[in-house]
Amino acid sequence: MDIQFIQTPYSTSPIMTKNKGEIFNQFPRDFYILEKKKELNNLGSKLYGTTEIAVDKNLVSKLANFCGFEETNDINEVALQLEEDIAIIHQGLLASICFCFPSSWVPSERLGLSLEDLHRPVADSEQLVKASPKISNVMQKHSILRWIWTVTTSPSLSNYPDHKRPELKGLDSLYLRIETQTTTPLTKDSSAFFVRVDVVPLREVRSKKILESINSMSEEVLEYKNLKEIKDFLNESNQWFN
């Protein structure tokens, strides 16, 4: 697995690269669609929503057209044809979202927020918040890639806040969770935001880069990512890493 995006020292500052590949997986795996349906059945409208301005601007319909799907104004119908979670940013504000696999937040509660406010809860987010207007502007002009990662005891694609994390019971109970974030222009003042989640047993990765990056994290980041206990365990068990 290519984990070049895992860097030391760890930083929450925006590290983006131009996307030269596909925007989303054209052939979504059945497992992802089934997991999305399960999460939507369990949590319903907590996972999705669309603002009035998105309705007025037909942004969901434009997203469906961009993806090559049948015309629809239902963000869920778009999401259930994708492996990725999906959102629309319009003039810097979250205009529509269907995130079945969120990372410790409630998607519907973020509707209408600016990119700055969306980033504000992140630990050590000062530079990320400061750069948010620029990021929003870039998203409307270019297709870009960004990665978010953590180590977790949960093998689930979803880290919804109410989902209980399993206890740490050794290396086999740990997973590398990666979000591959892809954005692309949708209209002159809006962009589509795709997030694919991959969860891989940590034993299969076995890279010391992960431990080195975790060791460079601030206490605030460790707390935010629930990594304090995991950090101690990995340092005690670092013979598992190459």
Side-chain angles (χ1 to χ4, degrees), residues 8-65:
T8 303
Y10 177 85
S11 174
T12 56
S13 296
I15 300 174
M16 301 177 292
T17 183
K18 284 190 176 181
N19 179 33
K20 298 179 181 179
E22 63 181 14
I23 306 298
F24 59 91
N25 187 358
Q26 300 285 341
F27 304 99
R29 289 166 281 185
D30 291 340
F31 171 72
Y32 278 79
I33 305 303
L34 291 172
E35 286 297 301
K36 282 189 172 188
K37 289 179 178 178
K38 182 177 76 174
E39 294 297 324
L40 285 167
N41 286 336
N42 289 338
L43 296 168
S45 60
K46 294 178 181 179
L47 299 179
Y48 62 87
T50 299
T51 62
E52 289 185 9
I53 192 167
V55 173
D56 292 341
K57 299 286 186 180
N58 291 316
L59 295 181
V60 174
S61 179
K62 290 173 182 176
L63 173 63
N65 182 66

Side-chain angles (χ1 to χ4, degrees), residues 113-125:
L113 293 184
S114 66
L115 210 56
E116 295 101 306
D117 288 335
L118 291 171
H119 287 147
R120 215 174 294 280
V122 177
D124 291 355
S125 63

Side-chain angles (χ1 to χ4, degrees), residues 114-172:
S114 66
L115 210 56
E116 295 101 306
D117 288 335
L118 291 171
H119 287 147
R120 215 174 294 280
V122 177
D124 291 355
S125 63
E126 293 83 2
Q127 293 301 316
L128 185 58
V129 170
K130 185 178 179 180
S132 291
K134 182 179 180 180
I135 294 172
S136 180
N137 186 51
V138 171
M139 288 167 61
Q140 291 170 196
K141 296 179 180 178
H142 305 285
S143 178
I144 58 175
L145 276 172
R146 184 170 179 248
W147 293 270
I148 304 293
W149 67 274
T150 192
V151 176
T152 177
T153 56
S154 174
S156 173
L157 291 172
S158 176
N159 270 354
Y160 188 81
D162 291 347
H163 291 353
K164 186 177 179 181
R165 288 187 179 87
E167 294 181 7
L168 174 56
K169 295 182 179 180
L171 192 68
D172 287 334

